[in-house]
Amino acid sequence: MYLKINQVSKTYHLGETTVAALRNVNLEIAKGEFTALVGASGSGKTTLLNLVGTLDTPDVGSIWIDDVDVVKLNEDQKSVFRNRKVGFVFQSFNLLPVLNVFENIELPMTVNSDLTPEERRDRAMQAIKDVGLEDFIAHVPDRLSGGQRQRVAIARALATNPSLIIADEPTANLDSKTAHMIIDLMQNLNQKRNSTFLFSTHDEKLMSRVSRVVRIADGMIADESRK
């Protein structure tokens, strides 16, 4: 997986007010990198993740993922691309309350006609094992803790075998101990699967846990560091 963001800008219009969410952003991420976007609320972190995940479109610039400029895809193509190339982990988990753990994880794969039911089941079970939820397969979200729900969300993102996993504030709704456990899990999966992680956070305490930090301020890349 190779991600290249080139001269990307995004402006929003809120009534008569114009907000420059991103300004001439350039960023490259290689396969297997574990990268955190850091910045205050309103700095542009979520906007950048939404653009990379093809949930939104920049005003100008290009975003290359696996040699595809996703900015040029139409909406149907973006939908297919997201389903097969990008996994999402949200701070609010976004699990369907009427589905159990297995069903929530399998759900994104049901729209992929290239997968047989057996392949879907095998992928879901492997993802469940990877996040340590074998004993909770039949549980619905209301019977799970916040940390367990986030594990389900991570497993759901992994099950489609994406090139890139995007996580928007994945520890924001968790206590400190559980947050560090989730970071441990993502790091282990990053190393085990060589999965590329790009996630946002404003929690400075977590910065020592990642291999690369990209700081965003006022819609621009302020600086970055590697460990």
Side-chain angles (χ1 to χ4, degrees), residues 6 15 19 32 39 59 65 74 78 91 101 121 134 138 145 151-152 164 172 204 207-208 214 218 226:
N6 185 45
V19 178
D59 299 329
I65 303 176
N74 62 38
K78 286 180 180 179
Q91 61 174 295
V101 167
R121 183 176 63 249
E134 298 98 316
S145 68
R151 285 175 178 241
V152 177
L164 174 66
E204 293 287 343
M207 292 308 97
S208 62
V214 176
D218 299 322
R226 296 177 184 269

Side-chain angles (χ1 to χ4, degrees), residues 54-188:
T54 73
L55 298 175
D56 202 353
T57 304
D59 299 329
V60 296
S62 60
I63 301 174
W64 293 84
I65 303 176
D66 284 344
D67 298 320
V68 175
D69 184 357
V70 298
V71 175
K72 295 181 178 179
L73 301 179
N74 62 38
E75 291 306 312
D76 288 341
Q77 291 170 328
K78 286 180 180 179
S79 179
V80 173
F81 188 90
R82 279 194 300 271
N83 182 262
R84 303 190 182 190
K85 292 288 188 177
V86 184
F88 294 92
V89 180
F90 303 95
Q91 61 174 295
S92 56
F93 316 131
N94 285 12
L95 304 178
L96 292 182
V98 298
L99 300 183
N100 63 30
V101 167
F102 178 88
E103 292 165 340
N104 265 288
I105 293 169
E106 183 191 34
L107 184 62
M109 295 183 285
T110 60
V111 299
N112 186 346
S113 59
D114 291 340
L115 294 178
T116 66
E118 292 76 16
E119 289 172 325
R120 294 200 307 265
R121 183 176 63 249
D122 290 345
R123 286 192 183 188
M125 289 304 302
Q126 183 59 56
I128 287 169
K129 291 178 182 177
D130 283 344
V131 301
L133 287 176
E134 298 98 316
D135 294 336
F136 299 90
I137 291 176
H139 285 47
V140 294
D142 282 349
R143 295 183 60 196
L144 302 174
S145 68
Q148 289 169 334
R149 293 183 195 186
Q150 196 59 295
R151 285 175 178 241
V152 177
I154 293 170
R156 181 182 57 192
L158 289 169
T160 58
N161 289 342
S163 299
L164 174 66
I165 296 172
I166 293 174
D168 189 10
E169 301 279 4
T171 61
N173 290 332
L174 306 174
D175 61 78
S176 180
K177 180 180 178 180
T178 305
H180 282 283
M181 290 174 60
I182 291 298
I183 292 294
D184 283 340
L185 173 62
M186 292 197 302
Q187 282 184 318
N188 290 336

Side-chain angles (χ1 to χ4, degrees), residues 32 34 185-195 197:
F34 192 72
L185 173 62
M186 292 197 302
Q187 282 184 318
N188 290 336
L189 293 170
N190 166 252
Q191 296 166 4
K192 177 181 178 180
R193 291 193 174 208
N194 198 30
S195 301
F197 279 80

